[in-house]
Amino acid sequence: MTKEVSSLENRIKELKKQRNAVILAHNYQLPEVQDVADFRGDSLELSRAAAKTEAKVIVFCGVYFMAETASILSPHKTVIMPDTNAGCPMANMLSAEELRKLKSEHPQAVVVGYVNSSAQVKAELDYCCTSTNAVAVVNYLKDQEEIIFVPDKYLADYVSKQTGRKLIIWNGFCPTHTKILPEDLRREKKFHPFAKVIVHPECLPQVVAMADAVLSTSQMAKFAKETEAKEMIVGTEVGLIYRLKKDNPGKEFYPASERAVCPNMKRTTQEKILWALEELKEEVKVPDHIRLRAKKAIDRMLEIV
Ligand code: 13P
Ligand code: SF4
């Protein structure tokens, strides 16, 4: 580590104390960001950490919908993002207006939405879910005749296969996870025949079908610690590998594909974190009329899991 970098880290630490701030980083963030974070996690864990923290300021290092979720759960805290241009293309594939139209075509359906969605879309949901609990949420709705599940069609496909439910879906997908192809897994399995294959449920169904386990990023972190396997092929955004290696120095992790990079997750840097703390900007705040409706869907999810 160069001297320059460590002095930057020290300035972030000092300013964080002065501002009474906490730094939350998603598992896909750059190593330099994960290294200065107080807490690393998946979408659900970060929202929960945001709701629990006693800090006044939350510096959210992730993508926009995650900071919005933190703002929905913690309206009295100042949520800032070091780069508000970090969006999630999947979340942007569905607008509230489009969802309202889909709902009007299926007026009896209960509406479940992946946390990877805008606050406006969340305000239209009955239940929110994450990749950790999507199957549990749909199983909970066993008495409902019709279920709309948006926006990720591949997560919907996985949930549908796990629960045996036919779902009304939207044509959304993650441009990063869909870069992982069956041929990538075949190649990596050939190189590492003893490795376990773990993949995220946002992957293509053909990829999911080849996996030993289908897991959210936090579930992958847990699996990596607990499994007897010494090698894993990891089918998700490549940023998770840094955390897996750091937490499990005796094990080997191979990305299923080096192409699986989420450019939005890489927009945040240590410099931007420092500037955000200096200027207390950019704030992400969900207005109350959206927030209260969106919170209901998140609260219902949290009651189930
Ligand atoms: P996790 O909740 O599993 O971390 O997933 C978030 C995400 O954006 C996956 O692409
Ligand atoms: Fe969105 Fe995919 Fe990036 Fe996750 S990896 S933030 S789903 S684009």
Side-chain angles (χ1 to χ4, degrees):
M1 195 184 285
T2 66
K3 218 165 171 227
E4 210 181 323
V5 171
S6 77
S7 85
L8 187 55
E9 284 186 16
N10 284 336
R11 281 163 64 203
I12 290 173
K13 245 189 221 163
E14 272 167 33
L15 204 52
K16 202 174 66 174
K17 236 193 242 158
Q18 280 176 28
R19 300 281 197 221
N20 190 5
V22 67
I23 300 176
L24 306 184
H26 187 266
N27 289 323
Y28 296 158
Q29 289 290 296
L30 290 173
E32 64 177 58
V33 174
Q34 296 196 29
D35 285 347
V36 295
D38 297 294
F39 191 84
R40 304 160 305 173
D42 70 3
S43 327
L44 178 64
E45 289 175 329
L46 294 179
S47 306
R48 284 187 154 151
K52 255 198 348 221
T53 180
E54 305 219 320
K56 271 211 173 96
V57 176
I58 296 166
V59 183
F60 208 108
C61 306
V63 291
Y64 199 81
F65 77 82
M66 296 179 181
E68 275 187 330
T69 309
S71 164
I72 290 167
L73 293 173
S74 311
H76 305 303
K77 289 167 198 158
T78 306
V79 179
I80 53 175
M81 269 185 94
D83 189 332
T84 45
N85 288 317
C88 166
M90 182 209 284
N92 295 339
M93 287 176 192
L94 175 66
S95 68
E97 202 181 328
E98 288 167 323
L99 180 53
R100 279 194 291 272
K101 184 165 179 292
L102 184 66
K103 281 165 62 171
S104 72
E105 289 159 7
H106 305 276
Q108 303 305 325
V110 61
V111 188
V112 181
Y114 191 24
V115 67
N116 293 40
S117 54
S118 68
Q120 285 89 340
V121 163
K122 286 193 182 76
E124 298 291 333
L125 304 176
D126 296 310
Y127 293 85
C128 189
C129 73
T130 71
S131 49
T132 303
N133 59 37
V135 170
V137 170
V138 170
N139 271 332
Y140 175 84
L141 300 171
K142 57 183 181 312
D143 297 331
Q144 300 289 335
E145 289 243 322
E146 282 189 305
I147 303 175
I148 291 176
F149 190 101
V150 292
D152 186 2
K153 63 178 170 183
Y154 295 127
L155 177 62
D157 179 82
Y158 172 69
V159 171
S160 175
K161 284 175 179 151
Q162 291 297 306
T163 59
R165 295 296 307 260
K166 193 169 165 4
L167 302 170
I168 299 158
I169 62 164
W170 187 253
N171 190 20
F173 61 91
C174 166
T176 297
H177 283 84
T178 49
K179 290 210 173 81
I180 302 168
L181 302 175
E183 67 213 52
D184 292 320
L185 289 191
R186 276 194 286 274
R187 181 194 60 240
E188 292 306 315
K189 278 169 116 167
K190 210 153 138 194
F191 284 138
H192 313 290
F194 301 111
K196 284 253 185 268
V197 178
I198 54 179
V199 309
H200 197 278
E202 287 175 17
C203 288
L204 295 169
Q206 307 92 294
V207 167
V208 167
M210 293 168 75
D212 294 305
V214 183
L215 306 165
S216 70
T217 60
S218 61
Q219 287 172 331
M220 285 184 185
K222 190 163 179 273
F223 180 95
K225 265 194 193 151
E226 291 172 0
T227 180
E228 306 248 296
K230 292 276 177 271
E231 296 176 280
M232 272 150 272
I233 296 164
V234 183
T236 193
E237 209 277 345
V238 295
L240 182 70
I241 301 274
Y242 176 71
R243 172 175 176 179
L244 294 177
K245 283 189 173 163
K246 205 171 168 188
D247 292 353
N248 305 278
K251 296 184 179 180
E252 297 292 338
F253 300 93
Y254 314 110
S257 169
E258 298 278 1
R259 284 199 206 111
V261 177
C262 177
N264 288 283
M265 283 285 185
K266 311 302 180 206
R267 295 187 76 104
T268 306
T269 59
Q270 285 193 350
E271 278 87 354
K272 290 182 188 172
I273 293 174
L274 181 67
W275 302 334
L277 279 166
E278 280 172 351
E279 299 174 21
L280 282 186
K281 282 208 261 197
E282 297 285 323
E283 186 172 4
V284 176
K285 193 153 186 66
V286 178
D288 263 354
H289 68 284
I290 302 282
R291 188 183 76 77
L292 293 169
R293 289 169 61 209
K295 187 169 181 296
K296 268 191 200 156
I298 298 173
D299 286 343
R300 286 197 195 111
M301 162 183 84
L302 295 175
E303 274 162 31
I304 298 172
V305 294

